[in-house]
Amino acid sequence: RLNAARRPGRTVATALTLTIGLFLVGTLGTLGASMKATIDDLMPQVMTSDYMVSAHQGIGSEQLARIRAIDGVGEVRTYEMTGAGVGDLQTTVTAARPEAYGHPIRQTMIDGRPAEQPGELVVHEPLLADNGWQLGTHLPGMVNGVEMTWTVVGTFAYPQNISAGDFLTAPATLRELGIPEEIAMVTVTAREGADVAAIGDGLRTATRQVSGAEVIGLVEYSELAGAQINALVGGVYALIALSVLIAALGIVNTLGLSVVERTRELGLLRAVGMTRGQVRGLIVRESLMISVIGGTVGIGLGVLAGVGLRSAISDQMTQLAIPWAQIGIVLALIVVIGVVAALGPAVRAARTRVLEAIAA
């Protein structure tokens, strides 16, 4: 402690690099955990079907019959999807019957009615407002290379913070254009009292031979959203790791200078009975003091900043979660960094020749 206080500016500068890196870790970790907690909280409110089954190559009539035959299955709804031009936009349009609206993500009709006739279109409300469209607006379009005209007949909204497809049309639109039925997604709702987990196993068995088939339930949907957040935060963590590595090198440099400056002192300590192991321990403890102080201050301030930012956007991020397990791992890594950074300088200090050091 006394040695670190001899050059407080250098000690603070060394610890500060670690503080900044772990400040970002604490902030991002808290925001990421809160975002995932918000998703877990919202999913039961916004996912209206027990399972969603999708496939890259489409779900055939044989697989659809197997899905309907699974014990406990209640409502089965089908959806087709196609690339299309809507006005100046190139997008994806979902074709679904009116009874399939509101699945698998809850939707609320704001105005108008579902699409039932060829060319009719229901539009996500924010997109309708952004483009200045209204009910009854006619828009030039193109589907599968065929030009056509869309007519806006309704508008809908999703729950806050949730977004899925922006356009819905009737299957009759695709049939009129000569596009054969190709089911891209099926939603399944279990009958009351049915074993939902068993239905999930049955769906996986029924679609085993379908190329690229995915069966996603409430848990899987939350995990999928959480994995996307982890990927985003993980990319930033990789950059932060470089700053932590630089901080470790800074500790090595500081301790190395400290050992050189204290050559005579170390020699005197050895002369009055300090062993080499005690000298090494002295340097390691000094390194741990710098790393632990810098790291804990950084991670603590980062968590506080994350809590503050979450509070500022609490209308969108409704849940607060602090990643205690992650913080524990980071604190353990701080100790490891302190020990590893001290190894070189500690060995050098322990090898100090007593007589030469005293005469220095």
Side-chain angles (χ1 to χ4, degrees), residues 85-128:
V86 178
D88 296 329
L89 302 177
Q90 292 298 318
T91 184
T92 298
V93 174
T94 300
R97 295 177 177 84
E99 61 269 20
Y101 280 34
H103 300 274
I105 302 299
R106 188 181 304 279
Q107 297 166 325
T108 302
M109 288 294 295
I110 302 297
D111 198 3
R113 59 175 176 79
E116 298 176 339
Q117 300 301 319
E120 292 184 341
L121 194 67
V122 182
V123 183
H124 190 201
E125 196 273 336
L127 197 63
L128 193 80

Side-chain angles (χ1 to χ4, degrees), residues 10-46:
R10 185 170 68 190
T11 302
V12 169
T14 302
L16 188 59
T17 307
L18 192 60
T19 299
I20 293 172
L22 295 182
F23 171 83
L24 296 175
V25 170
T27 303
L28 290 174
T30 302
L31 290 176
S34 298
M35 198 177 301
K36 288 191 285 186
T38 298
I39 290 172
D40 291 340
D41 180 62
L42 286 175
M43 279 303 106
Q45 303 173 38
V46 302

Side-chain angles (χ1 to χ4, degrees), residues 16-343:
L16 188 59
T17 307
L18 192 60
T19 299
I20 293 172
L22 295 182
F23 171 83
L24 296 175
V25 170
T27 303
L28 290 174
T30 302
L31 290 176
S34 298
M35 198 177 301
K36 288 191 285 186
T38 298
I39 290 172
D40 291 340
D41 180 62
L42 286 175
M43 279 303 106
Q45 303 173 38
V46 302
M47 192 166 180
T48 56
S49 300
D50 292 300
Y51 286 99
M52 175 176 66
V53 184
S54 61
H56 301 309
Q57 301 300 321
I59 299 171
S61 57
E62 181 180 348
Q63 285 76 31
L64 187 59
R66 291 178 182 175
I67 290 173
R68 295 183 187 277
I70 296 172
D71 185 37
V73 166
E75 296 291 334
V76 176
R77 305 170 182 86
T78 61
Y79 304 81
E80 300 174 70
M81 297 181 186
T82 183
V86 178
D88 296 329
L89 302 177
Q90 292 298 318
T91 184
T92 298
V93 174
T94 300
R97 295 177 177 84
E99 61 269 20
Y101 280 34
H103 300 274
I105 302 299
R106 188 181 304 279
Q107 297 166 325
T108 302
M109 288 294 295
I110 302 297
D111 198 3
R113 59 175 176 79
E116 298 176 339
Q117 300 301 319
E120 292 184 341
L121 194 67
V122 182
V123 183
H124 190 201
E125 196 273 336
L127 197 63
L128 193 80
D130 290 344
N131 287 276
W133 301 334
Q134 299 177 352
L135 297 188
T137 297
H138 297 288
L139 301 170
M142 179 176 290
V143 176
N144 204 26
V146 179
E147 293 185 357
M148 56 168 296
T149 299
W150 297 107
T151 301
V152 178
V153 297
T155 178
F156 66 92
Y158 293 110
Q160 187 176 13
N161 301 324
I162 299 296
S163 182
D166 290 320
F167 298 99
L168 296 167
T169 190
T173 300
L174 305 186
R175 303 295 89 80
E176 184 174 85
L177 296 173
I179 301 174
E181 182 179 30
E182 184 175 296
I183 298 171
M185 185 176 73
V186 173
T187 61
V188 176
T189 303
R191 289 198 298 266
E192 186 174 354
D195 187 339
V196 177
I199 291 175
D201 294 336
L203 290 172
R204 293 179 184 91
T205 301
T207 57
R208 185 175 298 163
Q209 297 179 344
V210 179
S211 176
E214 286 187 284
V215 177
I216 300 176
L218 182 62
V219 174
E220 292 86 359
Y221 202 92
S222 296
E223 289 177 348
L224 181 63
Q228 294 174 339
I229 296 172
N230 287 337
L232 178 62
V233 174
V236 180
Y237 279 171
L239 298 176
I240 295 174
L242 294 177
S243 71
V244 174
L245 177 60
I246 293 171
L249 295 176
I251 295 175
V252 173
N253 184 55
T254 296
L255 293 177
L257 291 173
S258 176
V259 168
V260 171
E261 293 170 354
R262 297 159 61 195
T263 299
R264 180 178 173 82
E265 178 184 324
L266 292 172
L268 289 171
L269 290 173
R270 289 294 311 284
V272 297
M274 182 175 277
T275 65
R276 288 187 174 183
Q278 289 173 324
V279 172
R280 286 193 292 267
L282 181 69
I283 302 301
V284 169
R285 286 193 294 275
E286 185 178 337
S287 175
L288 281 172
M289 182 183 66
I290 295 173
S291 62
V292 169
I293 291 176
T296 53
V297 169
I299 198 77
L301 291 176
V303 170
L304 289 176
V307 171
L309 289 172
R310 203 267 349 168
S311 298
I313 54 174
S314 58
D315 57 329
Q316 298 180 358
M317 198 177 295
T318 58
Q319 299 297 308
L320 172 64
I322 297 176
W324 295 113
Q326 185 183 51
I327 290 173
I329 293 172
V330 170
L331 292 176
L333 287 175
I334 290 171
V335 174
V336 172
I337 289 172
V339 173
V340 172
L343 292 180

